[in-house]
Amino acid sequence: MKHIEVVCALIQSKEGKIFCCKRGPGRALANKWEFPGGKIEQNETKEEALIREIKEELKSDIEVIKYIGVSNHEYLDLEKPFSITMYAYLCKLINGNLELTEHIDSCYASVEEMRLMDFAAADVPIINMIEEKMVS
């Protein structure tokens, strides 16, 4: 089974809500909500990967504030099963408007609102970490 390591940004608004994106059609986990980010490339730190991914996906610049935690999940019920390790970081938007280039929707959400949204399974434990670490 393929294993991928990814990073995700918990971009916090002034009101304490976290930026969430909805995956587009034609991709694995289509129409699921997730935290923005992506795969870590070879010879790249997690922080560098996160900054690059947000620049590519959302045409914005972020500052990585602190590491929040890690989530591991196996997606066994997909056409091409895979496992994922996701590292989450609290981030601050420093430039740009979080312009969607790959996602079909976005919003800032509180932990309570996130619990009502259809998140990708690997992202769900991150919601609990946000609550535990008092990020939102």
Side-chain angles (χ1 to χ4, degrees):
M1 178 181 344
K2 183 177 177 180
H3 179 78
I4 58 172
E5 287 200 335
V6 299
V7 286
C8 71
L10 306 175
I11 303 170
Q12 193 172 31
S13 70
K14 290 181 178 88
E15 298 77 30
K17 293 187 175 191
I18 303 295
F19 188 74
C20 308
C21 299
K22 194 173 200 179
R23 294 177 66 85
R27 303 172 59 203
L29 309 172
N31 299 310
K32 294 280 189 180
W33 286 93
E34 67 178 0
F35 300 111
K39 293 177 187 160
I40 303 166
E41 293 182 357
Q42 194 171 359
N43 301 320
E44 197 175 44
T45 68
K46 294 174 182 75
E47 293 86 351
E48 289 167 342
L50 197 49
I51 289 166
R52 176 188 51 77
E53 283 285 349
I54 298 305
K55 188 177 273 302
E56 289 173 6
E57 277 185 22
L58 299 169
K59 298 187 177 189
S60 298
D61 298 313
I62 57 166
E63 176 184 349
V64 179
I65 306 295
K66 72 175 180 178
Y67 174 72
I68 297 300
V70 63
S71 169
N72 292 290
H73 188 76
E74 290 184 348
Y75 288 101
L76 302 175
D77 56 344
L78 300 175
E79 189 177 310
K80 293 181 180 175
F82 67 96
S83 63
I84 187 170
T85 299
M86 179 184 298
Y87 303 93
Y89 290 83
L90 176 63
C91 299
K92 179 178 157 186
L93 180 65
I94 55 175
N95 186 39
N97 297 313
L98 300 172
E99 181 182 330
L100 300 183
T101 62
E102 297 180 12
H103 296 89
I104 57 171
D105 198 3
S106 67
C107 68
Y108 278 97
S110 66
V111 168
E112 295 76 23
E113 291 165 332
M114 286 182 226
R115 293 197 192 287
L116 302 174
M117 297 161 69
D118 186 17
F119 266 85
D123 292 71
V124 172
I126 305 293
I127 297 170
N128 296 330
M129 291 175 209
I130 292 169
E131 187 170 51
E132 289 166 16
K133 308 244 181 191
M134 302 293 289
V135 223
S136 66

